[in-house]
Amino acid sequence: MKKVAEFFVEYFQFLDKDSKVVDDLPEFTNDRGFLISLYRSMVLTRIFDEKAVRMQRMGQLSTFPSSLGQEAVMVGTGAALKKEDVYCPYYRDQGVLFRHGVTPKELFIYWSGDERGSAFSGAREDFPIAVPIATQSLHATGVASAFKIRKQPRVVITMCGEGGTSEGDFYEAINLAGAWNLPVVFIVNNNQWAISVSREAQTKCETIAQKAISAGFKGIQVDGNDIIAVYDKVSQAVENARNGGGPQLIEAITYRLSDHTTADDASRYCPKDNLDKAWDEEPVERFKKYLEDYHDFNESEDLAIKDECSKEVDQAAIDMLNFEKPNAESMFDHLYENFPEALLVQYEELIAMNKEGGK
Amino acid sequence: MTMITMAEAINQALVYEMTQDQDVVVMGEDVAGNGGVFRITVDLLEKFGPDRVMDTPLAESMIAGCAIGMASQGVKPVAEFQFMGFIYPAFDHIINHAGRLRNRTRGRLSCPLVFRAPYGGGIHAPEHHSESTEALFSHIPGIRVVIPSTPARAYGLLLAAIRDPDPVLFLEPKAIYRKFKQNVPDTGQALPLDKCFISKTGSDVTIVAWGAMHAEAMHAADILEADGISAEVIDVATIKQLDMKTILTSIEKTGHCVIVHEAARTNGVGAEIAAEIAEHGLFSLHAPVKRVTGFDTVMPYPILEKKYLPNADRISKAVREVL
């Protein structure tokens, strides 16, 4: 016997659960303004999620997936994207989209059940939210291929949950990304649950990160509740990809503190002890305490941020509720660029139905 | 005048459009170095280089998903599925993404791509290589389904498909890839994507067909002509969007209609055409519409495939029954 290959998976953490610094902090932690902006984005995401859940309960939104407890994964990832980069989302990553120019109003519109929410005024090339699991991983490889073909120094980030990494599309995507050395970074939001199926039941793999090894590139783990670790490693992977270094997979270990969606009841399957323990490790308080301990962050700054974010989210909700409802015939508007003559009969049928006040 | 086969005409269209439009790329399994298992993409690698002619790893969902990502950036992939029998892993991306991207982003992103696949029976191929499942795809909003029946139409329709700003499934009847030749001038002239072709005018009956069945319909028309029956033959060509106007106008004239496809009968595209005729052309008819199709069975292996596929004899017999 001889050993032909050997692999290992690294784990990164800078702040432990008590906000103690446990490793040499990266350079960007000297930039207080940037750190506060990360904190603000995390707060914004949490307040947005809380508001969205309340609005769903009031019948103002349809089913909604909260990202409660996963704000560091989202904001750290979103902050690593440059404006010209492209993000291929799944559906629990509002924090990434906010950092990349999508507005709370747009996401409220989307989750209210209106396609116009995906028209993304500020992230024109980002993919819309992908509901079929892990399909976005492949779209990301396609966008990255386009960048490579056109020799553009741009990068794609895509995200899925740990459950999504069981999908064939995920494996096909990482395999292609490796084979073609594409500028794409795969983030896995390992929040321990795929609806009711636990991380342990999902795969025998010790880590999700090691799946990258099967595709020939590096996969690492970060503490997904440590925004410093997430941002540091994702931005390194992005810049490495931008410089031709190829893909990377980052497994961010976190915990879903919410139900899967507003249509789910996690108390049916999620042990309360696990949830209580996870609350002790959650990312927003952890980062806030770090800012207090190391950057003189004070209560009045914190209150000001929370107040500002609440007002922004409340205004976005009002804007969504006041957004003019779409015309029925708009369902035909963007089906094809050139309206097919064959569809005219159905189109006119719908218009006539509306004129008659039909239901 | 150079006479070329449908296989050569498709290659000619690819070369023409890749020369004109730098955004057009070709991708798929074995399409680069090998020129495709049917040699449709032969010499493209030499002509356009590895950045534009790409062998992919062996994964069909990936081919579709990656092509969609490229197309969202304005690259125009012509992605090949080696056989239609292997397209089904890609179904998810075709129905959930390719056909919806423009709509769900309200026109912000679009999907200007072509999925090519050899389809249909008649070449004694192994299991899973001979089915005709165009109906599955013609039910999907947001995409187009195109099936050429001659070298010249393959050339013009493929150019149109590549230039179309929306996703097009381009199904190539492999039984006639090399069955006959035509003069196909390399003019870059595209054909419309929503018009039937009247291949032969006639006054007694309208035979509606597409793909490899078009040649059988033309042959049947010759047989019938000898007996004094004048058949009009329509090549549907664009399965979606369906040009019912041309078919209904023809039936107004002939009063009889036989629809031919090699796919299984139930819920086939023929059923949709017959339903449209029932809604909009019933009073033109002097007799019920008749379908000549494959059976609602699993496509048999090569030994029995001739018993499954419609042919000129079955078509001419059906015409005599409706007259």
Side-chain angles (χ1 to χ4, degrees), chain B residues 121-138:
Chain B
I123 64 160
H124 309 290
E127 214 180 341
H128 303 292
H129 286 65
S130 299
E131 286 75 6
S132 307
T133 52
E134 66 272 23
L136 297 180
F137 296 89
S138 66

Side-chain angles (χ1 to χ4, degrees), chain A residues 61-345:
Chain A
L61 296 184
S62 60
T63 304
F64 176 79
S66 169
S67 63
L68 185 65
Q70 300 136 82
E71 295 86 352
V73 181
M74 303 312 156
V75 172
T77 297
L81 281 164
K82 286 190 176 168
K83 186 75 190 160
E84 67 268 25
D85 295 335
V86 165
Y87 183 61
C88 293
Y90 72 134
Y91 51 80
R92 202 186 300 283
D93 36 9
Q94 30 277 15
V96 188
L97 293 168
F98 293 156
R99 283 297 298 209
H100 208 218
V102 177
T103 65
K105 177 188 168 187
E106 287 170 329
L107 289 190
F108 277 142
I109 291 171
Y110 173 78
W111 290 110
S112 77
D114 185 333
E115 286 85 350
R116 291 174 297 175
S118 297
F120 296 174
S121 56
R124 301 296 296 166
E125 296 172 65
D126 283 5
F127 258 69
I129 283 166
V131 177
I133 306 301
T135 53
Q136 71 278 11
S137 317
L138 283 170
H139 305 151
T141 65
V143 176
S145 299
F147 294 164
K148 200 176 170 214
I149 290 167
R150 290 170 166 171
K151 301 184 171 43
Q152 297 170 338
R154 304 168 69 189
V155 178
V156 189
I157 298 184
T158 186
M159 191 183 291
C160 63
E162 84 286 354
T165 71
S166 297
E167 288 276 5
D169 274 12
F170 178 79
Y171 286 101
E172 293 187 18
I174 59 173
N175 182 61
L176 182 70
W180 287 4
N181 198 46
L182 295 174
V184 55
V185 177
F186 298 90
I187 310 293
V188 178
N189 176 28
N190 178 358
N191 65 15
Q192 314 303 324
W193 295 101
I195 306 188
S196 67
V197 177
S198 70
R199 156 66 184 84
E200 293 70 32
Q202 198 67 237
T203 171
K204 195 180 177 184
C205 289
E206 300 93 328
T207 71
I208 301 293
Q210 74 201 57
K211 295 191 178 194
I213 294 166
S214 73
F217 58 88
K218 191 171 169 185
I220 63 168
Q221 282 189 335
V222 298
D223 181 340
N225 294 336
D226 172 6
I227 181 84
I228 294 174
V230 176
Y231 173 72
D232 186 52
K233 295 307 162 198
V234 177
S235 55
Q236 279 174 16
V238 164
E239 293 320 308
N240 178 61
R242 199 184 307 284
N243 295 323
Q248 208 182 111
L249 189 160
I250 296 170
E251 174 190 4
I253 297 170
T254 180
Y255 204 93
R256 199 189 76 205
L257 297 175
S258 65
D259 298 329
H260 163 66
T261 64
T262 48
D264 176 47
D265 173 8
S267 70
R268 290 167 54 84
Y269 53 81
C270 176
K272 191 174 178 308
D273 289 353
N274 295 19
L275 195 61
D276 291 344
K277 184 172 165 289
W279 268 108
D280 289 340
E281 302 185 5
E282 69 90 9
V284 178
E285 278 304 310
R286 186 189 299 196
F287 192 43
K288 182 186 159 195
K289 186 161 187 306
Y290 160 79
L291 291 173
E292 287 166 353
D293 293 350
Y294 295 84
H295 295 275
D296 297 325
F297 188 64
N298 61 49
E299 201 59 29
S300 69
E301 277 182 288
D302 187 40
L303 286 174
I305 286 171
K306 282 173 177 157
D307 185 51
E308 202 179 279
C309 291
S310 291
K311 282 183 177 141
E312 185 181 337
V313 168
D314 287 347
Q315 188 58 50
I318 291 166
D319 291 347
M320 181 278 280
L321 292 168
N322 291 333
F323 196 52
E324 200 184 341
K325 295 287 169 280
N327 297 324
E329 60 267 31
S330 72
M331 69 177 84
F332 284 91
D333 283 354
H334 298 283
L335 204 49
Y336 298 91
E337 183 166 311
N338 307 313
F339 192 90
E341 204 186 323
L343 283 180
L344 208 56
V345 173

